[in-house]
Amino acid sequence: MSLAKTIALAALMTIPAAADAKPPLRDVKEIDNELYYIAIANEISDYCPSISGRRMKAIGVMWGLRSKANKLGYSDKEIRAYVDSDSEKDRMRSKGEAYLAQHGVSYDNPNSFCTLGRTEIERNSAIGVYLRAN
């Protein structure tokens, strides 16, 4: 077999593998973004005593995200690796801290968490749906 035919055959054999390749879960925005919203809401509820997290709602959504990821072809092992990854936790924390800072939140001023939390609740935002004013 000629070199050109061998290369062409090898290329054709890799097409199904490439079609089956999945992006990292961090790149699946419908999953990554929702986890981000839950993380921000959790941080707000941790630092603001007058706002609590809607934890049962968050847990229900997380189970739904797991199911969605399974339907997209991700195994439970892949999902666990993404959720437990230190680099993903660091990335999410960095992204969250940037969001908080952008909205005037400071860890030195716990009331700033309350201000943002109330705004998110009033807007019924993607973050606000995971919060409840006490």
Side-chain angles (χ1 to χ4, degrees):
M1 186 180 302
S2 75
L3 180 61
K5 285 183 181 178
T6 303
I7 292 172
L9 181 60
L12 285 174
M13 290 174 59
T14 62
I15 290 174
D20 290 342
K22 302 176 299 263
L25 272 166
R26 73 182 302 180
D27 294 336
V28 181
K29 294 303 175 194
E30 62 199 62
I31 292 173
D32 192 66
N33 286 347
E34 205 64 38
L35 290 174
Y36 169 70
Y37 303 143
I38 291 168
I40 295 287
N42 188 59
E43 195 77 350
I44 290 169
S45 69
D46 282 351
Y47 283 88
C48 177
S50 63
I51 293 177
S52 59
R54 297 184 65 206
R55 300 201 192 284
M56 294 307 291
K57 177 176 179 59
I59 290 169
V61 168
M62 287 189 288
W63 278 106
L65 293 174
R66 176 180 171 244
S67 177
K68 186 178 289 189
N70 286 149
K71 287 177 185 169
L72 291 172
Y74 296 90
S75 69
D76 287 344
K77 184 177 179 182
E78 289 171 309
I79 296 165
R80 178 62 43 207
Y82 163 68
V83 171
D84 289 342
S85 165
D86 288 338
S87 64
E88 289 302 322
K89 289 176 186 177
D90 291 344
R91 179 186 66 86
M92 192 70 72
R93 173 155 292 286
S94 176
K95 186 177 168 183
E97 287 175 351
Y99 178 84
L100 294 172
Q102 178 184 358
H103 288 87
V105 174
S106 167
Y107 285 91
D108 295 330
N109 179 7
N111 193 48
S112 62
F113 283 89
C114 298
T115 301
L116 177 60
R118 283 189 297 273
T119 299
E120 297 290 349
I121 292 167
E122 288 170 13
R123 289 181 43 228
N124 198 34
S125 70
I127 295 167
V129 298
Y130 295 109
L131 297 170
R132 176 182 308 118
N134 297 335

